[in-house]
Amino acid sequence: MQMKSTVYYDYHDGEKVPLWYVLNFGSGNLDWDTEYLYVPIVAPFEIHGVEDFDNDTLSASITFGDLTKRIDKPNTIGIYLPHVKRTISDFGGDYHDIDQFIFLVSDIEEILQLSVIRDHMNY
């Protein structure tokens, strides 16, 4: 499965601050029967301003409670898909239609206890 990762930033006190990490996998391309989806968070990734975010792409927000980390794989997060599926279904959606996941950068940094995204932006 081909996945594309993008970081969206905004400005806070004149500084470029990463807000969202977006993982686009395209509709119908994710194996929703898997318990965990493991994603390496590694540069390079595209960087865009929040004004460039496409609101027409069907997305699901991934919360801190959906995340886990791999001790044996640094910079890799796990997403607990059964909870994500249940949340989407509870809101009347069909998880098979989802094109991408949206994460708060702060949640990824907290779960990894690293600043891999922020460090990459300071190139």
Side-chain angles (χ1 to χ4, degrees):
M1 170 181 44
Q2 183 76 331
M3 292 188 279
K4 175 183 156 191
S5 56
T6 305
V7 172
Y8 290 88
Y9 67 88
D10 204 355
Y11 286 93
H12 181 70
D13 293 333
E15 300 274 332
K16 192 188 288 189
V17 178
L19 296 179
W20 307 320
Y21 179 87
V22 177
L23 182 65
N24 186 298
F25 43 82
S27 180
N29 292 324
L30 186 65
D31 181 3
W32 287 96
D33 293 327
T34 304
E35 187 174 22
Y36 286 94
L37 172 65
Y38 289 101
V39 179
I41 309 294
V42 293
F45 28 75
E46 290 188 28
I47 300 174
H48 294 283
V50 292
E51 66 278 358
D52 296 328
F53 184 77
D54 182 3
N55 288 315
D56 293 328
T57 302
L58 198 52
S59 307
S61 294
I62 303 301
T63 65
F64 187 79
D66 299 325
L67 297 177
T68 188
K69 81 182 216 180
R70 293 281 307 252
I71 300 298
D72 60 331
K73 293 187 178 191
N75 297 335
T76 298
I77 59 169
I79 305 155
Y80 185 60
L81 292 179
H83 185 257
V84 175
K85 289 182 350 183
R86 185 172 45 248
T87 301
I88 294 167
S89 296
D90 287 350
F91 280 95
D94 182 351
Y95 54 84
H96 292 102
D97 295 335
I98 299 295
D99 292 312
Q100 64 188 15
F101 291 149
I102 302 172
F103 309 78
L104 290 175
V105 167
S106 59
D107 286 349
I108 293 173
E109 290 177 341
E110 187 171 341
I111 201 78
L112 294 177
Q113 297 179 357
L114 297 171
S115 59
V116 64
I117 293 170
R118 205 172 299 269
D119 290 345
H120 177 69
M121 290 188 62
N122 295 323
Y123 48 93

